[in-house]
Amino acid sequence: MSGLKNFWAYLVTLSRKKNFWYIAGSVLIVLILIIGYSIYHSAQQKSKAAASRSTLQTATVRQGSIVISASGTGTVVAAATANLAFSNSGSSSSANATLKKLNVQVGDQVKSGQVLAVEDNTTQAQALAQAKLNLAQLTSPAAIATAQGSVATDLVSVTNALQTLQFYISPQRVEWEQQVAVAQQSLADAQLDAQANPSADATQKVQDAQKTLDKANQELAGAEDWYNKTYVPDHFTYLVTSSSGSSGRSSGFGKSRSQPTKVVSPPTTAMIGSARAALALAQANMVQDQDLVTALTTGVIPDTATGSGIVALKQAQIALKTAQTNFNNTEIIAPFDGTVTAVNNTVGDTVGTSTVITIADLSKRLLTVYIDEADLGKLALGEEVDAVFDSLPNQTFKGKITQIVPALVTVDNVPAVQAQAALDESTGSQLYVGLNATVNVINAQANNVTLVPIQALKQLEPDKYGVFVVQNGNLTFRQVVVGLKDDTYAEIKSGLQQGDVVTTGLTATNQGASSASTGQ
């Protein structure tokens, strides 16, 4: 007790000295700094310890589904749409005509070939009737009988002309001339075929045709030699009687005597040429008339047919076809089964070539889809489509991609890929043409599979991955087989089981040290 009093007395004495307060203040400041640093250092150590415990991010492997898709927009369109109008100017000479009949209204169901509307067609109907009459006259039984009679007459002419030529040059020459002509045509045909389709068989046919022609020419030469040596003397030798009398003055008792002489006088070149021409003309006339009979009785004109009768028949057929087309153009015909979606005129209106009726095939609902060009790789034929319409937000409609346009289009000044999807037939009629939808095109999906966050994957090399698995507080590296991946999750086909815990990354507070511990 006495010692404490002595210490206090010492301090009182010291405090009366001039430098005491300077010394005391300095000591106090030093003590405050020492205590503050100790508190700061302790807090830093605690903070580092806490940070060291929180740097490891983990996730539990789970079961789930993963979908790879491309999002876009879509609009309902009809399977087919037709804007129907009249193709000509009706019965008037102007560009317009009067609508005479209107057989449908909006909402009506129509069949292919059904007449939907008719404009005034008085002129076309008259022209069609006249064209039918003209053709009927040319193809009447009387016309057919006349043509058949001409064929019979032609046959007589051919027979007579042939007999004349045979008499002039002999039947044998006529026969072998015809054989030579046939052989020449056969050779020409074989040569053309060999040029178009070279082969050993084609070459053999050319050789055979040449042999046939050579033989025919030999026979013809023999026939010509026989004609000159035998046929001409036998058929064209005539007895010519010559007269002779006494020379000098007549005594009044002299008279002339006839002395017959054999003279060979074959047909002249002109006579033979005329006979050949007569035969060719008769044969040509018979072919023309026979073609006309064929055309009149079957309705089919042979491709090589000629002659005035054929020309008249063709002109009549063309006139009828033109008249029928003009008449048909005064009617609007449904090109397919469908529904009338618009009627723009009423009976009595003046119509030209503008659309009068619009029909659409609503038996199938199609969706025109627009996808961002960046997702082109996710788009393929046959992929499934999920569509949610603005007017039916609580329903999802299914479909499949049936067509992809091979060129980009512009939608709201942005390049896009256009495709078409066929919605399921169960869609029904509640989807009106023109409805807009949000569309997801499913590129790939896997259901009830093992999933890990995408951040857990460590890429070893292309298409090879691994993960760090937490086991008893330690990290173990495993190689895994990865399936589908999206921006969030990856499908694990092998290497992990549900319930495994994997690392997904490290916090930024101790990134350097933690990177080293995980091998990143």
Side-chain angles (χ1 to χ4, degrees):
M1 187 70 176
S2 60
L4 180 61
K5 288 181 179 179
N6 293 333
F7 178 72
W8 178 255
Y10 173 77
L11 290 176
V12 171
T13 304
L14 185 61
S15 64
R16 292 192 179 116
K17 293 183 179 181
K18 182 176 181 179
N19 295 329
F20 172 77
W21 295 109
Y22 293 104
I23 296 171
S26 299
V27 172
L28 182 60
I29 290 172
V30 171
L31 289 174
I32 291 173
L33 290 174
I34 292 172
I35 293 171
Y37 174 78
S38 297
I39 294 173
Y40 171 77
H41 182 71
S42 176
Q44 284 290 94
Q45 293 298 321
K46 291 180 179 180
S47 176
K48 287 182 178 181
S52 177
R53 289 192 299 270
S54 63
T55 54
L56 197 61
Q57 303 291 314
T58 62
T60 301
V61 178
R62 66 179 182 85
Q63 185 183 58
S65 299
I66 185 170
V67 178
I68 309 300
S69 65
S71 299
T73 61
T75 303
V76 176
V77 296
T81 301
N83 296 316
L84 306 177
F86 294 107
S87 300
N88 64 12
S89 60
S91 62
S92 66
S93 59
S94 65
N96 300 310
T98 301
L99 182 59
K100 185 178 179 181
K101 292 181 181 179
L102 186 60
N103 301 327
V104 293
Q105 59 185 357
V106 173
D108 284 354
Q109 302 295 312
V110 298
K111 295 292 185 180
S112 176
Q114 180 177 337
V115 178
L116 308 183
V118 181
E119 66 179 357
D120 184 14
N121 54 15
T122 303
T123 300
Q124 284 78 7
Q126 292 174 348
L128 179 59
Q130 185 62 51
K132 289 180 178 179
L133 178 60
N134 293 341
L135 183 60
Q137 290 176 340
L138 289 176
T139 58
S140 66
I144 294 174
T146 300
Q148 290 172 335
S150 297
V151 172
T153 301
D154 294 334
L155 181 59
V156 173
S157 299
V158 168
T159 300
N160 293 335
L162 178 60
Q163 289 175 346
T164 299
L165 182 61
Q166 287 175 335
F167 174 70
Y168 284 167
I169 66 172
S170 80
Q172 289 82 353
R173 280 187 63 184
V174 172
E175 172 65 21
W176 285 111
E177 284 180 355
Q178 292 174 345
Q179 292 295 330
V180 168
V182 171
Q184 286 174 336
Q185 185 61 51
S186 297
L187 177 60
D189 293 342
Q191 289 172 336
L192 288 175
D193 183 64
Q195 290 176 358
N197 304 289
S199 68
D201 183 60
T203 301
Q204 185 62 48
K205 288 182 179 180
V206 171
Q207 294 173 353
D208 292 343
Q210 184 65 59
K211 291 179 181 179
T212 301
L213 177 59
D214 292 341
K215 180 179 179 181
N217 280 322
Q218 291 175 359
E219 294 290 346
L220 176 58
E224 289 175 344
D225 184 62
W226 173 82
Y227 169 80
N228 292 322
K229 293 179 179 179
T230 304
Y231 186 84
V232 169
D234 289 347
H235 291 80
F236 301 107
T237 299
Y238 305 96
L239 290 176
V240 177
T241 302
S242 61
S243 299
S244 62
S246 58
S247 59
R249 282 191 284 177
S250 176
S251 63
F253 296 99
K255 59 180 180 179
S256 61
R257 274 187 316 179
S258 298
Q259 296 179 352
T261 303
K262 291 183 179 181
V263 177
V264 178
S265 180
T268 64
T269 302
M271 293 170 63
I272 295 174
S274 178
R276 291 184 188 278
L279 177 60
L281 178 60
Q283 290 173 332
N285 287 337
M286 188 169 69
V287 170
Q288 287 184 356
D289 291 336
Q290 185 59 60
D291 285 344
L292 179 59
V293 171
T294 300
L296 294 178
T297 54
T298 65
V300 178
I301 299 177
D303 293 337
T304 57
T306 59
S308 59
I310 292 294
V311 171
L313 182 60
K314 286 183 176 180
Q315 289 176 342
Q317 290 177 337
I318 293 172
L320 177 58
K321 184 177 180 180
T322 301
Q324 187 67 61
T325 299
N326 291 338
F327 181 82
N328 292 344
N329 287 342
T330 66
E331 298 178 336
I332 292 179
I333 308 294
F336 50 79
D337 295 353
T339 303
V340 178
T341 58
V343 176
N344 301 323
N345 297 93
T346 58
V347 173
D349 284 354
T350 299
V351 291
T353 56
S354 299
T355 299
V356 177
I357 298 170
T358 300
I359 66 171
D361 179 5
L362 304 180
S363 60
K364 296 179 181 179
R365 292 297 193 272
L366 302 180
L367 198 64
T368 298
V369 178
Y370 299 99
I371 301 294
D372 189 277
E373 63 174 326
D375 291 327
L376 177 60
K378 299 178 182 178
L379 194 62
L381 293 176
E383 290 182 344
E384 293 186 0
V385 171
D386 290 340
V388 178
F389 291 89
D390 299 344
S391 58
L392 301 166
N394 297 323
Q395 291 181 261
T396 299
F397 295 86
K398 300 289 187 179
K400 287 188 176 181
I401 296 295
T402 59
Q403 185 183 71
I404 300 174
V405 177
L408 294 181
V409 297
T410 301
V411 179
D412 295 332
N413 296 321
V414 177
V417 181
Q418 180 178 330
Q420 188 175 82
L423 297 177
D424 292 348
E425 294 183 359
S426 59
T427 297
S429 60
Q430 58 183 321
L431 295 181
Y432 288 179
V433 172
L435 286 181
N436 295 317
T438 299
V439 177
N440 280 323
V441 180
I442 310 302
N443 178 259
Q445 76 179 72
N447 298 317
N448 300 319
V449 296
T450 301
L451 299 179
V452 298
I454 197 72
Q455 296 90 341
L457 295 180
K458 315 300 178 186
Q459 186 169 8
L460 306 177
E461 57 184 84
D463 297 326
K464 286 189 177 182
Y465 298 88
V467 296
F468 284 98
V469 181
V470 180
Q471 291 181 318
N472 301 322
N474 298 317
L475 298 182
T476 302
F477 186 79
R478 290 186 195 172
Q479 189 168 337
V480 295
V481 176
V482 177
L484 298 180
K485 293 188 297 180
D486 62 14
D487 295 336
T488 307
Y489 287 95
E491 173 194 4
I492 302 300
K493 292 187 173 182
S494 65
L496 291 175
Q497 295 181 349
Q498 296 176 31
D500 287 344
V501 178
V502 296
T503 63
T504 59
L506 302 168
T507 61
T509 56
N510 199 17
Q511 190 166 356
S514 56
S515 295
S517 66
T518 60
Q520 287 184 333

